[in-house]
Amino acid sequence: MWARSVRPIRDRSPKRISSDSDETGGLSQAANMSTSHSIGFIGAGKMATALAVGFLRSGLTDPARLMASDVHEGARTAFESLTQASTTASNLEVIRGSRVLILAVKPQQMEGMLRELGSSLTAQHVIISIAAGVTVSRILKWL
């Protein structure tokens, strides 16, 4: 199973995500997946937007390398307005176009979302969840 290939993070210093440099801590492999967005957010609410704005302000990435999905048009509009990044109503579009996926949905929505989209995830995806109270073992179970 792909989840077993998770490696511990050794260097916590910020790295700019780029497809043309090896100075990205291994994230340059995104170019091999022919992705158009390096970081994808499943959920474009306040927490996702705050993270994206922080990534942009720190210079970690740029708006062209971000994308978010959300079922609520208002959340998508706010995300776009504050980040200048693209949004969509399709979670699958974000998964297909991103190397790093940040799961930013409400904890009660996590199981349904993972069961629906888990088969679209690959070993090349880096998955980060910010859902409070949802353990890694639960995430693995729902995939």
Side-chain angles (χ1 to χ4, degrees), residues 102-123:
I102 299 175
L103 307 180
V105 299
K106 291 180 172 57
Q108 63 270 24
Q109 298 169 326
M110 186 68 79
E111 180 178 5
M113 185 269 303
L114 288 172
R115 290 195 187 277
E116 176 186 347
L117 301 172
S119 63
S120 300
L121 300 172
T122 70

Side-chain angles (χ1 to χ4, degrees), residues 84-126:
Q84 304 306 303
S86 60
T87 63
T88 178
S90 170
N91 291 336
L92 199 54
E93 186 177 342
V94 171
I95 290 172
R96 288 180 181 150
S98 303
R99 164 94 162 73
V100 176
L101 292 170
I102 299 175
L103 307 180
V105 299
K106 291 180 172 57
Q108 63 270 24
Q109 298 169 326
M110 186 68 79
E111 180 178 5
M113 185 269 303
L114 288 172
R115 290 195 187 277
E116 176 186 347
L117 301 172
S119 63
S120 300
L121 300 172
T122 70
Q124 303 305 309
H125 285 107
V126 175

Side-chain angles (χ1 to χ4, degrees), residues 36 77 81:
S36 56
T77 301
S81 173

Side-chain angles (χ1 to χ4, degrees), residues 57-93:
R57 286 185 181 159
S58 72
L60 178 67
T61 192
D62 57 69
R65 309 277 300 158
L66 291 176
M67 183 179 216
S69 61
D70 203 293
V71 295
H72 300 289
E73 184 177 351
R76 293 192 310 268
T77 301
F79 188 94
E80 285 178 3
S81 173
L82 291 169
T83 65
Q84 304 306 303
S86 60
T87 63
T88 178
S90 170
N91 291 336
L92 199 54
E93 186 177 342

Side-chain angles (χ1 to χ4, degrees), residues 23-24 30 46 49 60-61 125 133 138:
E23 297 175 14
T24 61
K46 290 180 169 70
T49 302
L60 178 67
T61 192
H125 285 107
R138 273 203 206 150

